Amino acid sequence: MKIAISGKGGVGKTLVAGILARMFARDGFKVLAIDNDSAMNLSYTLGIDEKTKAQIVPIKEMKSMIVKGAGSGVYNINPTVSDIPDKYKVSGPDGLQLLVLGGIEEPATGCLCPENAIIRTLLYNLFIKRDEVVIVDFEAGIEHLGRGTAKGIDLMLVITEPSQKSLDLCHKIIELSKKLGVINIYLIANKITDESQQEIINKKTQNWKVPLYHIIPFDPDIGKADLEGSSPIDYNSNSEGILSIKSLYEKLKLLKQELFDL
């Protein structure tokens, strides 16, 4: 099962990606978590220790993998894309693995960005060829969709918070994801403080043809964990927000059985 997490910056993409990865791993699934957000904060949410964090080198910074080929704008990848995850991933709690792609710097107009080519090809191969649960924390916004990096995913979780700006971006992400051929798209509302917010979101999204799949309440303990540099699931595994994400996880396990374990 290949899961992509997308949305506006600050809505809780990394929170959902990291906690879901931990929960899948705790249940015995082989899990590869991928940080494709330029902020590169997924390691904190996963609870990876400082010594391991210091060993992480984002794929985009590994210039030795990019070899200029014959002709303008032609690049070879050394090592091959299929070798990258196993060579450069690091281990995290509960037996999960983390691969950090890093942010992609946009090239000048008319110039092919080799880092972009590596990441696009790598993600596609991971989505198609890897026999494991792959969870990708995409960078905020919609640029990654314009690069085609979401092709091949099984499930897109689009995270919103109770704001019009967040909902507007989510709608764009959903429409672009559909054009890329993503079939299973679900909207997740995070930081909800009362039922009126949920009702407003339901009303504003009723014509999207994408269900409001899950609600995560505002949880002050998640902010406290972030301030201390701890994974929220380790800080308080029974906090309201973490228990809600656990409920989301159980729903996704059932969905996995319905869609992929036939």
Side-chain angles (χ1 to χ4, degrees):
M1 189 178 191
K2 314 305 189 295
I3 304 172
I5 317 290
S6 192
K8 181 176 173 289
V11 299
K13 292 186 303 85
T14 303
L15 170 71
V16 174
I19 302 305
L20 287 179
R22 287 286 299 269
M23 290 179 175
F24 271 108
R26 284 184 173 183
D27 257 3
F29 290 93
K30 186 178 180 182
V31 176
L32 176 63
I34 301 177
D35 192 345
N36 191 34
D37 192 326
S38 56
M40 294 185 286
N41 289 327
L42 185 55
S43 60
Y44 289 93
T45 306
L46 291 172
I48 291 179
D49 62 78
E50 293 299 324
K51 182 178 179 180
T52 304
K53 285 179 192 174
Q55 299 171 1
I56 296 173
V57 179
I59 293 292
K60 84 175 190 79
E61 293 184 9
M62 298 178 185
K63 302 299 184 182
S64 61
M65 292 191 308
I66 305 166
V67 181
K68 187 71 178 291
S72 176
V74 177
Y75 297 88
N76 297 318
I77 298 173
N78 182 24
T80 62
V81 168
S82 60
D83 294 333
I84 291 174
D86 295 322
K87 288 190 176 184
Y88 299 106
K89 64 188 181 183
V90 296
S91 298
D94 304 313
L96 64 80
Q97 304 288 319
L98 170 66
L99 181 68
V100 177
L101 303 185
I104 302 173
E105 297 179 3
E106 286 299 308
T109 302
C111 177
L112 176 64
C113 175
E115 294 93 337
N116 183 14
I118 286 179
I119 290 176
R120 183 177 62 247
T121 306
L122 172 60
L123 283 174
Y124 183 76
N125 277 272
L126 288 171
F127 294 150
I128 298 300
K129 297 180 180 180
R130 302 287 287 200
D131 184 21
E132 60 200 318
V133 174
V134 178
I135 299 177
V136 184
D137 180 19
F138 270 133
E139 61 184 303
I142 59 176
E143 288 184 2
H144 59 284
L145 294 171
R147 301 185 192 108
T149 51
K151 287 184 178 180
I153 67 166
D154 296 317
L155 187 67
M156 172 76 81
L157 300 183
V158 185
I159 315 298
T160 188
E161 62 184 1
S163 75
Q164 187 61 54
K165 290 178 180 178
S166 181
L167 285 167
D168 286 346
L169 183 59
C170 284
H171 192 210
K172 292 177 182 177
I173 290 171
I174 288 168
E175 292 305 307
L176 284 172
S177 297
K178 289 178 180 178
K179 291 179 180 179
L180 284 172
V182 181
I183 297 173
N184 304 298
I185 307 172
Y186 296 91
L187 183 67
I188 312 295
N190 187 31
K191 304 180 184 179
I192 302 300
T193 58
D194 55 59
E195 289 186 3
S196 66
Q197 290 181 335
Q198 181 177 343
E199 291 171 0
I200 292 170
I201 292 173
N202 269 316
K203 183 177 180 181
K204 288 179 176 290
T205 61
Q206 61 183 347
N207 296 322
W208 289 12
K209 298 181 180 179
V210 168
L212 179 54
Y213 190 66
H214 194 75
I215 300 293
I216 303 172
F218 176 79
D219 183 354
D221 273 359
I222 290 174
K224 293 175 183 177
D226 183 57
L227 184 61
E228 294 194 8
S230 301
S231 170
I233 198 172
D234 295 327
Y235 183 83
N236 183 359
S237 62
N238 292 312
S239 73
E240 195 174 3
I242 297 303
L243 290 176
S244 179
I245 298 175
K246 183 177 181 179
S247 176
L248 171 62
Y249 166 68
E250 295 297 334
K251 290 162 72 173
L252 292 178
K253 275 205 305 181
L254 291 175
L255 187 62
K256 179 180 183 296
Q257 292 175 354
E258 294 173 7
L259 297 176
F260 311 113
D261 295 346
L262 299 178

